Amino acid sequence: MEIKASMAGNVWKITVQQGEAVEAGQDIVILESMKMEIPIASEEKGILKEWKVQEGDFVDEGDTIAIVE
């Protein structure tokens, strides 16, 4: 499953490392947009297989942030 950005912003903080287990609803990354912090959560339980971004990257709404399987 692809985790996508819900809005445009900078990747402020990655909270889960590649290879870690995640729960449905668990925040995995925090975006910063207009001085607000926007947490992005995994929609499913699984393993975070791959990050498509790094801290400091800019993402647009709909961009893939990570892959959870």
Side-chain angles (χ1 to χ4, degrees):
M1 174 187 69
E2 294 183 347
I3 307 295
K4 297 188 179 281
S6 58
M7 66 184 315
N10 290 310
V11 177
W12 181 67
K13 185 174 185 180
I14 291 175
T15 60
V16 177
Q17 297 302 313
Q18 191 166 312
E20 281 187 48
V22 296
E23 296 293 325
Q26 178 181 349
D27 293 342
I28 62 167
V29 66
I30 300 172
L31 301 181
E32 187 274 327
S33 180
M34 299 183 297
K35 302 197 187 262
M36 294 180 3
E37 295 176 9
I38 299 98
I40 305 295
S42 177
E43 297 172 18
E44 295 179 2
K45 180 179 179 178
I47 302 293
L48 198 142
K49 290 293 184 184
E50 181 182 358
W51 281 107
K52 297 291 189 179
V53 297
Q54 297 178 5
E55 289 181 0
D57 287 355
F58 180 82
V59 294
D60 283 315
E61 182 177 351
D63 284 356
T64 300
I65 294 174
I67 306 292
V68 174
E69 293 181 352

